Amino acid sequence: MLAQIAIRQGDVEAAERIVAEAIERRGTRLGPMMSLAELRFVERRLEEALTITNEILEEFGDRTDMEAITGLYHLRGSIFAHQRDLESSVEAFSREIELFPESLDAYRSLALIQTMQGEAAAGRATLRLMLERNPTPEASAMAVRAY
C-alpha cells in the first residue's frame, strides 16, 4: 500500500525501497509483486512489468482468493497498450471486467482501446455496460469524461 502511494506521488525512489522491503517479507502474498510490477510499468520497463505479472499469475495458480489479483489484468492491459498490442490489451481489460465488474478503470480503458481500434460503437457499449453494472455517480462521471 505504501509503495502504491509513493508510485502515485511520483516518488519512484521511495517506492523502490518500499517494494524491495516488502518483497523480502512477502511470504505468499502477491501484493508486493503487484507493487513491483506497477513500479516497473511507471518506469516504462514494460517487459519486466509483464514478466512480473506472468509470475504473479503462475504463483496465483488455481487459488480462489480473487481479491489477491485485483487490478492485475488492468495492469497487463495497460502494459500491452503501451506496447501497442491492442488485441492483448482488449483481452486483459475484458478479463479484469469479467473478474471484477466493479473496476471502473477497466471499462474506461477498454472503451478507449476499442475506440482507438476504430470500434467506437463497441467503446460506447462498454461504457453502457459499466453504467448498467455500476449505477453510481462515480461511474456516470467516468462515462461522461470517457465519452
Side-chain angles (χ1 to χ4, degrees):
M1 183 67 133
L2 291 175
Q4 291 173 338
I5 293 169
I7 291 168
R8 284 177 181 71
Q9 291 176 340
D11 191 349
V12 175
E13 190 176 303
E16 192 75 51
R17 281 192 314 273
I18 295 166
V19 167
E21 290 174 16
I23 292 286
E24 284 181 27
R25 295 189 302 250
R26 78 179 186 93
T28 60
R29 293 179 308 123
L30 298 175
M33 293 288 287
M34 288 280 292
S35 294
L36 180 59
E38 272 188 59
L39 180 59
R40 295 299 177 253
F41 175 72
V42 166
E43 295 171 325
R44 297 300 180 247
R45 293 163 60 178
L46 302 178
E47 285 303 320
E48 284 181 61
L50 189 57
T51 297
I52 295 165
T53 65
N54 289 336
E55 291 170 5
I56 292 168
L57 287 173
E58 188 175 313
E59 190 173 321
F60 185 74
D62 55 5
R63 288 171 42 180
T64 57
D65 56 330
M66 299 308 285
E67 68 278 352
I69 59 167
T70 302
L72 177 65
Y73 285 97
H74 185 270
L75 177 58
R76 287 175 63 82
S78 297
I79 294 166
F80 289 130
H82 277 80
Q83 293 176 326
R84 303 205 190 305
D85 182 352
L86 300 185
E87 282 186 38
S88 294
S89 182
V90 166
E91 290 174 18
F93 290 134
S94 297
R95 182 71 172 138
E96 182 78 15
I97 290 167
E98 177 186 330
L99 294 173
F100 310 103
E102 70 285 353
S103 176
L104 302 182
D105 286 332
Y107 292 97
R108 179 184 46 82
S109 298
L110 176 58
L112 176 64
I113 296 298
Q114 290 168 323
T115 302
M116 288 172 60
Q117 290 178 310
E119 300 173 12
R124 286 190 299 275
T126 295
L127 294 175
R128 277 194 297 277
L129 181 62
M130 176 183 70
L131 292 170
E132 289 170 14
R133 292 181 176 172
N134 300 280
T136 65
E138 182 184 7
S140 296
M142 183 171 284
V144 167
R145 284 190 307 268
Y147 191 76

